[in-house]
Amino acid sequence: MEKLSWTKEIFGSKLEISQGNEKIGSINWESMVSSKAQAIINGRLFTLNREFFLSKLEIYDSNGQSLLGTIMINFLNPRSDILINGKRFELEIKNFWQSKWSWKFDGVDIITYTSHEFITKDKGTIDLATPITDEVEILILLGLFVRNQFILLMLLALLVVLVVII
């Protein structure tokens, strides 16, 4: 089983992915609340996009600008599906705090994310139970992009609560 790590400043616009001490990828948003991001993993370039209300996420090949996959996120349902190259993958949020989530193929976890900290940084690990393929690279990026959307939603909800209280 291969293990990757990721880290992102809570109010930052860049997430980095590493394998051991080597940086293998990143996701760069235009700003902390931006709906678009540029991503790179193992030298491949991607564009990530979300709808304004955070529910529809898309990933494009940056070179050809072809749509590689779309996933609809329902914040009340911990499971979502995506079709990539004719294969169906399922994203499952494992707990209420979104500190553990995974991609499944044929009901088996193939990529598992764990968040380890949320005070000053959002960081964690990615456990791969499958070899890295084009599809796995896409899923790695989408899984982290989904996580960022959940964090934005949680920060927005906290801001609303604070405004109501004050």
Side-chain angles (χ1 to χ4, degrees):
M1 181 180 290
E2 239 179 295
K3 188 179 282 273
L4 307 176
S5 60
W6 57 274
T7 185
K8 180 181 181 290
E9 299 292 328
I10 292 294
F11 296 106
S13 59
K14 184 174 184 176
L15 181 145
E16 292 189 348
I17 307 164
S18 300
Q19 185 172 28
N21 292 330
E22 180 184 354
K23 179 181 160 190
I24 64 162
S26 65
I27 301 175
N28 295 298
W29 287 265
E30 295 168 2
S31 70
M32 186 183 101
V33 295
S34 177
S35 63
K36 293 186 180 192
Q38 298 299 313
I40 187 168
I41 188 164
N42 294 325
R44 291 183 62 204
L45 300 173
F46 299 90
T47 300
L48 296 154
N49 187 43
R50 73 167 157 79
E51 281 187 346
F52 180 72
F53 291 108
L54 309 174
S55 61
K56 181 180 174 184
L57 305 175
E58 301 170 321
I59 187 164
Y60 294 87
D61 179 331
S62 284
N63 296 325
Q65 289 298 316
S66 59
L67 180 64
L68 300 173
T70 300
I71 187 165
M72 299 295 290
I73 303 298
N74 179 345
F75 295 104
L76 302 176
N77 182 352
R79 292 192 171 108
S80 302
D81 292 343
I82 189 169
L83 196 62
I84 301 174
N85 294 333
K87 298 177 187 171
R88 187 180 75 77
F89 299 92
E90 181 183 354
L91 177 68
E92 180 181 14
I93 307 300
K94 303 275 189 181
N95 60 22
F96 176 76
W97 298 107
Q98 291 96 31
S99 63
K100 192 164 190 168
W101 64 107
S102 69
W103 284 107
K104 294 177 177 237
F105 181 68
D106 285 339
V108 177
D109 287 351
I110 60 169
I111 304 171
T112 302
Y113 304 81
T114 305
S115 174
H116 299 299
E117 186 177 328
F118 186 68
I119 303 301
T120 59
K121 278 190 174 181
D122 196 16
K123 67 180 183 176
T125 56
I126 305 167
D127 293 311
L128 302 173
T130 187
I132 295 180
T133 63
D134 291 348
E135 291 140 354
V136 170
E137 290 175 342
I138 291 167
L139 293 172
I140 289 169
L141 293 173
L142 273 175
L144 293 168
F145 195 65
V146 166
R147 165 68 178 185
N148 191 68
Q149 304 322 303
F150 277 118
I151 297 303
L152 283 177
L153 182 65
M154 288 173 29
L155 290 173
L156 179 62
L158 180 61
L159 179 64
V160 168
V161 168
L162 290 174
V163 167
V164 169
I165 291 173
I166 296 173

